Amino acid sequence: AAIACMASGTGSPLIANDRRVLPALAGFGYPREDAVQYATSACWEPCVPGLSVDQNNLTMLSFLVPLETVLCRVVCGECDLQDFAAVKRAYLDTLTVSAQRLAEKLAEVQFEPNPLLSLLVKDSISKARDVADGGARYHDIGITTVALGNAVNALLNIERVVFLERRRDLRSLARSARSDFAGEELLLANLASCGEKFATSSAAALDLANEILGTLEACLRGQRTPSGGRFRFGMSSPDYIASAERFPATLDGRRANAPFGVHISPCSSARSVSPVETAWFASRLDYGKAFNGGVLDMVLDRKQIEGHSAQLVDFFRIAFAEGLFQAQVNLLDVGLLREARAHPEQHPHLIRS
């Protein structure tokens, strides 16, 4: 039924893997009797209706901002990073500081009393306490994230171009990004298409992604809100376009203002990656540390699944058995999109001026 719904082109439903979601919730402290009641609070963030008032998408964190901060220091001569280990350490340390500041800021958020919602939350009734005062059993803060894949690819490009191939020094490479790679199309193409990449069969990219996730989780683990709420994060966010609109070019081979990678998916169209390869990668990410949304984002031509729905069902069964957390499939009709581009007035629901 889910595949049939996807075939209609709605982009729904989200498919979630209980064999990964439930252990992730248990690891965060949810008893099984609560965890099995989970739903999603917005798009993909797990919550327990009637027991939680989690604010699961209260803010967004970009994994590229700490790297941009480090590269600014390099360009300005404030630091001299002699090897990739030093670059990675500087990035992870800066990420930790950014996350700590974000958690401290979120801990200061005060919520207005909500008597109506409190009447719908079981523990709030038994405690005779409003949800704004910690009446709910779960009242955690969720952080969505963007650009994990972009950050992983950029870091691996730095390792390859600067320290392995020794084509450029780090300062000149960072300056090229600051100029939006003006006159350096070959470098841009190299960064986008060569080397180890996120959401592929690259073990190096997978290890680095999980190290970044582990660093962020370790930073947030001990943080608490005044009412005792915890902080959780995931790898999905709807902000991959808006947050990139005024962001400079980056060393993953992305131009200034171009969108960030979408959820868990390849970040560049310069290299063809099969859904099987991406599903392999996504199934091995550490969702125990990052479970506030972890969506494998797939875009398929409608013709690819016409008459092949059974194979798509098998694909997801195998992917979920391997450890995939969540998935969403967007079906496109390439012929219809081309027609809409040629005659936008006939397709106002697809093309906007």
Side-chain angles (χ1 to χ4, degrees), residues 194-219:
C194 297
E196 309 277 0
K197 298 299 180 193
F198 182 86
T200 70
S201 58
S202 167
L206 179 63
D207 290 345
L208 181 55
N210 279 329
E211 185 174 2
I212 292 171
L213 297 177
T215 298
L216 180 55
E217 189 274 336
C219 171

mmCIF file of all heavy atoms in Angstrom, residues 194-219:
data_model
loop_
_atom_site.group_PDB
_atom_site.id
_atom_site.type_symbol
_atom_site.label_atom_id
_atom_site.label_comp_id
_atom_site.label_asym_id
_atom_site.label_seq_id
_atom_site.Cartn_x
_atom_site.Cartn_y
_atom_site.Cartn_z
ATOM 1 N N CYS A 194 35.393 13.947 -7.692
ATOM 2 C CA CYS A 194 36.506 13.035 -7.407
ATOM 3 C C CYS A 194 36.622 12.744 -5.917
ATOM 4 O O CYS A 194 36.219 13.543 -5.078
ATOM 5 C CB CYS A 194 37.809 13.629 -7.921
ATOM 6 S SG CYS A 194 37.872 13.848 -9.711
ATOM 7 N N GLY A 195 37.193 11.606 -5.619
ATOM 8 C CA GLY A 195 37.471 11.255 -4.236
ATOM 9 C C GLY A 195 36.321 10.557 -3.531
ATOM 10 O O GLY A 195 35.298 10.227 -4.113
ATOM 11 N N GLU A 196 36.527 10.328 -2.243
ATOM 12 C CA GLU A 196 35.515 9.677 -1.408
ATOM 13 C C GLU A 196 34.338 10.613 -1.195
ATOM 14 O O GLU A 196 34.525 11.815 -0.990
ATOM 15 C CB GLU A 196 36.132 9.312 -0.050
ATOM 16 C CG GLU A 196 37.435 8.540 -0.127
ATOM 17 C CD GLU A 196 37.208 7.052 -0.320
ATOM 18 O OE1 GLU A 196 36.044 6.617 -0.393
ATOM 19 O OE2 GLU A 196 38.210 6.316 -0.389
ATOM 20 N N LYS A 197 33.104 10.044 -1.222
ATOM 21 C CA LYS A 197 31.915 10.887 -1.121
ATOM 22 C C LYS A 197 30.891 10.313 -0.147
ATOM 23 O O LYS A 197 30.756 9.097 0.003
ATOM 24 C CB LYS A 197 31.244 11.058 -2.489
ATOM 25 C CG LYS A 197 32.107 11.740 -3.547
ATOM 26 C CD LYS A 197 32.512 13.151 -3.163
ATOM 27 C CE LYS A 197 33.376 13.805 -4.233
ATOM 28 N NZ LYS A 197 34.017 15.041 -3.744
ATOM 29 N N PHE A 198 30.152 11.209 0.462
ATOM 30 C CA PHE A 198 29.023 10.881 1.336
ATOM 31 C C PHE A 198 27.934 10.178 0.533
ATOM 32 O O PHE A 198 27.701 10.471 -0.630
ATOM 33 C CB PHE A 198 28.478 12.184 1.932
ATOM 34 C CG PHE A 198 27.345 12.031 2.904
ATOM 35 C CD1 PHE A 198 27.602 11.784 4.245
ATOM 36 C CD2 PHE A 198 26.035 12.159 2.487
ATOM 37 C CE1 PHE A 198 26.560 11.677 5.154
ATOM 38 C CE2 PHE A 198 24.984 12.048 3.393
ATOM 39 C CZ PHE A 198 25.239 11.795 4.720
ATOM 40 N N ALA A 199 27.255 9.230 1.177
ATOM 41 C CA ALA A 199 26.125 8.499 0.581
ATOM 42 C C ALA A 199 26.536 7.621 -0.588
ATOM 43 O O ALA A 199 25.771 7.388 -1.511
ATOM 44 C CB ALA A 199 25.007 9.450 0.173
ATOM 45 N N THR A 200 27.787 7.154 -0.555
ATOM 46 C CA THR A 200 28.279 6.181 -1.534
ATOM 47 C C THR A 200 28.798 4.971 -0.743
ATOM 48 O O THR A 200 28.582 4.863 0.463
ATOM 49 C CB THR A 200 29.402 6.771 -2.390
ATOM 50 O OG1 THR A 200 30.584 6.945 -1.584
ATOM 51 C CG2 THR A 200 28.997 8.122 -2.989
ATOM 52 N N SER A 201 29.513 4.105 -1.412
ATOM 53 C CA SER A 201 30.077 2.946 -0.731
ATOM 54 C C SER A 201 31.395 3.254 -0.027
ATOM 55 O O SER A 201 32.122 2.341 0.360
ATOM 56 C CB SER A 201 30.295 1.813 -1.739
ATOM 57 O OG SER A 201 31.150 2.249 -2.795
ATOM 58 N N SER A 202 31.688 4.522 0.173
ATOM 59 C CA SER A 202 32.957 4.953 0.783
ATOM 60 C C SER A 202 32.970 4.689 2.289
ATOM 61 O O SER A 202 32.195 5.287 3.051
ATOM 62 C CB SER A 202 33.192 6.440 0.526
ATOM 63 O OG SER A 202 34.231 6.936 1.330
ATOM 64 N N ALA A 203 33.865 3.829 2.731
ATOM 65 C CA ALA A 203 34.031 3.576 4.161
ATOM 66 C C ALA A 203 34.604 4.808 4.867
ATOM 67 O O ALA A 203 34.249 5.095 6.016
ATOM 68 C CB ALA A 203 34.937 2.369 4.377
ATOM 69 N N ALA A 204 35.480 5.547 4.187
ATOM 70 C CA ALA A 204 36.069 6.748 4.786
ATOM 71 C C ALA A 204 35.002 7.801 5.059
ATOM 72 O O ALA A 204 34.998 8.437 6.121
ATOM 73 C CB ALA A 204 37.148 7.313 3.864
ATOM 74 N N ALA A 205 34.088 7.997 4.105
ATOM 75 C CA ALA A 205 33.009 8.967 4.298
ATOM 76 C C ALA A 205 32.074 8.525 5.412
ATOM 77 O O ALA A 205 31.613 9.341 6.221
ATOM 78 C CB ALA A 205 32.245 9.151 2.994
ATOM 79 N N LEU A 206 31.792 7.231 5.467
ATOM 80 C CA LEU A 206 30.915 6.700 6.513
ATOM 81 C C LEU A 206 31.541 6.881 7.890
ATOM 82 O O LEU A 206 30.875 7.336 8.834
ATOM 83 C CB LEU A 206 30.628 5.222 6.245
ATOM 84 C CG LEU A 206 29.739 4.507 7.265
ATOM 85 C CD1 LEU A 206 28.348 5.113 7.290
ATOM 86 C CD2 LEU A 206 29.664 3.014 6.947
ATOM 87 N N ASP A 207 32.809 6.556 8.018
ATOM 88 C CA ASP A 207 33.486 6.701 9.307
ATOM 89 C C ASP A 207 33.518 8.159 9.749
ATOM 90 O O ASP A 207 33.301 8.463 10.937
ATOM 91 C CB ASP A 207 34.912 6.155 9.222
ATOM 92 C CG ASP A 207 34.951 4.640 9.104
ATOM 93 O OD1 ASP A 207 33.923 3.991 9.376
ATOM 94 O OD2 ASP A 207 36.016 4.108 8.720
ATOM 95 N N LEU A 208 33.787 9.060 8.825
ATOM 96 C CA LEU A 208 33.849 10.478 9.176
ATOM 97 C C LEU A 208 32.470 10.991 9.568
ATOM 98 O O LEU A 208 32.332 11.748 10.544
ATOM 99 C CB LEU A 208 34.403 11.282 8.005
ATOM 100 C CG LEU A 208 34.545 12.795 8.229
ATOM 101 C CD1 LEU A 208 35.388 13.094 9.469
ATOM 102 C CD2 LEU A 208 35.153 13.468 7.001
ATOM 103 N N ALA A 209 31.435 10.595 8.841
ATOM 104 C CA ALA A 209 30.074 11.014 9.180
ATOM 105 C C ALA A 209 29.708 10.553 10.588
ATOM 106 O O ALA A 209 29.170 11.324 11.400
ATOM 107 C CB ALA A 209 29.081 10.467 8.160
ATOM 108 N N ASN A 210 30.008 9.308 10.914
ATOM 109 C CA ASN A 210 29.683 8.799 12.245
ATOM 110 C C ASN A 210 30.522 9.456 13.332
ATOM 111 O O ASN A 210 30.044 9.656 14.459
ATOM 112 C CB ASN A 210 29.853 7.285 12.278
ATOM 113 C CG ASN A 210 28.666 6.545 11.688
ATOM 114 O OD1 ASN A 210 27.532 7.014 11.756
ATOM 115 N ND2 ASN A 210 28.918 5.392 11.085
ATOM 116 N N GLU A 211 31.756 9.831 13.005
ATOM 117 C CA GLU A 211 32.574 10.549 13.987
ATOM 118 C C GLU A 211 31.986 11.927 14.277
ATOM 119 O O GLU A 211 31.954 12.376 15.434
ATOM 120 C CB GLU A 211 34.010 10.676 13.481
ATOM 121 C CG GLU A 211 34.950 11.296 14.503
ATOM 122 C CD GLU A 211 36.408 11.306 14.060
ATOM 123 O OE1 GLU A 211 36.686 10.855 12.916
ATOM 124 O OE2 GLU A 211 37.263 11.749 14.838
ATOM 125 N N ILE A 212 31.501 12.596 13.244
ATOM 126 C CA ILE A 212 30.868 13.902 13.438
ATOM 127 C C ILE A 212 29.597 13.759 14.272
ATOM 128 O O ILE A 212 29.350 14.541 15.200
ATOM 129 C CB ILE A 212 30.568 14.545 12.075
ATOM 130 C CG1 ILE A 212 31.871 14.916 11.361
ATOM 131 C CG2 ILE A 212 29.689 15.783 12.240
ATOM 132 C CD1 ILE A 212 31.692 15.355 9.920
ATOM 133 N N LEU A 213 28.781 12.763 13.955
ATOM 134 C CA LEU A 213 27.558 12.527 14.726
ATOM 135 C C LEU A 213 27.888 12.221 16.184
ATOM 136 O O LEU A 213 27.217 12.718 17.097
ATOM 137 C CB LEU A 213 26.768 11.371 14.115
ATOM 138 C CG LEU A 213 26.242 11.567 12.691
ATOM 139 C CD1 LEU A 213 25.541 10.305 12.211
ATOM 140 C CD2 LEU A 213 25.295 12.761 12.604
ATOM 141 N N GLY A 214 28.921 11.414 16.409
ATOM 142 C CA GLY A 214 29.313 11.080 17.771
ATOM 143 C C GLY A 214 29.784 12.288 18.551
ATOM 144 O O GLY A 214 29.512 12.417 19.754
ATOM 145 N N THR A 215 30.483 13.184 17.880
ATOM 146 C CA THR A 215 30.960 14.406 18.539
ATOM 147 C C THR A 215 29.795 15.285 18.972
ATOM 148 O O THR A 215 29.767 15.796 20.099
ATOM 149 C CB THR A 215 31.882 15.192 17.591
ATOM 150 O OG1 THR A 215 33.029 14.399 17.274
ATOM 151 C CG2 THR A 215 32.325 16.507 18.226
ATOM 152 N N LEU A 216 28.813 15.445 18.093
ATOM 153 C CA LEU A 216 27.655 16.278 18.428
ATOM 154 C C LEU A 216 26.838 15.640 19.547
ATOM 155 O O LEU A 216 26.402 16.330 20.478
ATOM 156 C CB LEU A 216 26.798 16.494 17.179
ATOM 157 C CG LEU A 216 25.539 17.350 17.362
ATOM 158 C CD1 LEU A 216 25.882 18.713 17.958
ATOM 159 C CD2 LEU A 216 24.830 17.525 16.017
ATOM 160 N N GLU A 217 26.642 14.328 19.478
ATOM 161 C CA GLU A 217 25.869 13.651 20.525
ATOM 162 C C GLU A 217 26.561 13.768 21.878
ATOM 163 O O GLU A 217 25.913 13.997 22.909
ATOM 164 C CB GLU A 217 25.678 12.184 20.142
ATOM 165 C CG GLU A 217 24.709 11.417 21.041
ATOM 166 C CD GLU A 217 25.378 10.846 22.277
ATOM 167 O OE1 GLU A 217 26.610 10.637 22.257
ATOM 168 O OE2 GLU A 217 24.661 10.606 23.291
ATOM 169 N N ALA A 218 27.880 13.606 21.911
ATOM 170 C CA ALA A 218 28.619 13.706 23.168
ATOM 171 C C ALA A 218 28.502 15.103 23.766
ATOM 172 O O ALA A 218 28.432 15.260 24.992
ATOM 173 C CB ALA A 218 30.086 13.354 22.933
ATOM 174 N N CYS A 219 28.463 16.106 22.913
ATOM 175 C CA CYS A 219 28.316 17.487 23.387
ATOM 176 C C CYS A 219 26.945 17.730 24.007
ATOM 177 O O CYS A 219 26.822 18.369 25.051
ATOM 178 C CB CYS A 219 28.550 18.453 22.233
ATOM 179 S SG CYS A 219 28.140 20.174 22.617
#
